[in-house]
Amino acid sequence: MQPRLKVSKKWSAIPKELSVQIKQVFKQTFQTQMGTGTVHADGRIYPSEILMRVGFKPSDGGLRQFNWDISIEYKRDKDNVMKLLTMAVDVAGSLFEQFFSSENDHDFPRIWAEVDFEGKKVFVQYHTENTELESAANKLLGLEPGEEMLAEGEWEDDITPEAIKAQLGIDEEGEDLPDDDDDGGKGGGGKTSH
């Protein structure tokens, strides 16, 4: 996963629990279109950019995976990172709706393209890289980022994995916690309604 901004170097991964939730939501929402295919979800939080990838690999045994990358610029002292993560998931949901309703993928941007989503400037790109193969190749070539790539500095204090889990209502075992409005943990949680 390559960030859009050249200044985006060090990063923190989104919590695995959030990735699992995104996969579950997309699998449920697009079950008819995806069948027994696999959903992939990954994301990184850079000091001034949120990068999210949501992909789908059909179960036909092919190598192609259909992915949308979403990039949202933000200012730490102005923007709410959790809201932007949720927005990135919503953008991915909208893009998948377009993908599944179109006859082919010829009109989708292969390089970063700016779109307006709920008044916010968002960048998206479509590609067919296989996440698992890309990761395996990067490891073989020694290109897989290690711990030194993880974000450092004061900016990460409010977006640690623990803080993100708490804001999403996820406990340590990855289960939803009850919300304040006592809906049994079914509301919020960063899930989309697509």
Side-chain angles (χ1 to χ4, degrees):
M1 219 171 27
Q2 295 296 320
R4 182 180 59 85
L5 300 176
K6 292 187 189 324
V7 297
S8 294
K9 303 287 184 200
K10 298 190 177 200
W11 51 273
S12 291
I14 63 169
K16 288 186 180 181
E17 293 85 352
L18 177 57
S19 178
V20 168
Q21 282 187 340
I22 294 168
K23 291 176 190 178
Q24 289 172 345
V25 168
F26 275 74
K27 189 69 174 164
Q28 290 169 359
T29 304
F30 300 108
Q31 185 173 11
T32 303
Q33 298 92 333
M34 291 183 180
T36 58
T38 308
V39 178
H40 296 271
D42 195 9
R44 295 177 179 175
I45 303 169
Y46 293 90
S48 58
E49 176 183 11
I50 290 172
L51 183 63
M52 178 80 64
R53 174 181 290 174
V54 181
F56 157 65
K57 186 172 181 296
S59 59
D60 63 7
L63 296 178
R64 257 174 78 155
Q65 177 178 312
F66 306 99
N67 305 292
W68 284 103
D69 288 353
I70 297 99
S71 168
I72 304 174
E73 250 180 283
Y74 74 97
K75 291 186 174 22
R76 182 173 87 81
D77 56 349
K78 179 182 172 193
D79 296 310
N80 181 315
V81 171
M82 287 311 307
K83 285 184 180 176
L84 294 179
L85 282 171
T86 301
M87 177 182 282
V89 173
D90 288 341
V91 169
S94 295
L95 293 168
F96 267 88
E97 284 178 3
Q98 292 174 30
F99 174 78
F100 286 125
S101 65
S102 57
E103 294 180 17
N104 57 54
D105 63 357
H106 301 309
D107 294 330
F108 299 135
R110 297 325 200 256
I111 58 172
W112 291 112
E114 181 181 330
V115 297
D116 180 74
F117 190 83
E118 298 177 359
K120 180 80 174 167
K121 186 167 45 171
V122 176
F123 290 84
V124 301
Q125 72 177 355
Y126 169 81
H127 59 89
T128 56
E129 293 173 4
N130 184 306
T131 303
E132 293 168 357
L133 290 178
E134 180 185 7
S135 180
N138 285 343
K139 284 180 184 172
L140 277 173
L141 296 171
L143 300 175
E144 193 68 19
E147 291 298 316
E148 71 277 1
M149 293 304 292
L150 296 180
E152 299 170 354
E154 294 177 18
W155 70 271
E156 73 173 63
D157 291 344
D158 56 345
I159 54 172
T160 62
E162 293 76 21
I164 294 172
K165 287 179 198 175
Q167 289 184 27
L168 290 172
I170 301 171
D171 69 10
E172 289 302 313
E173 285 76 40
E175 297 181 13
D176 289 344
L177 295 174
D179 290 342
D180 291 336
D181 59 355
D182 198 28
D183 65 357
K186 295 177 184 162
K191 297 179 184 176
T192 64
S193 58
H194 292 282

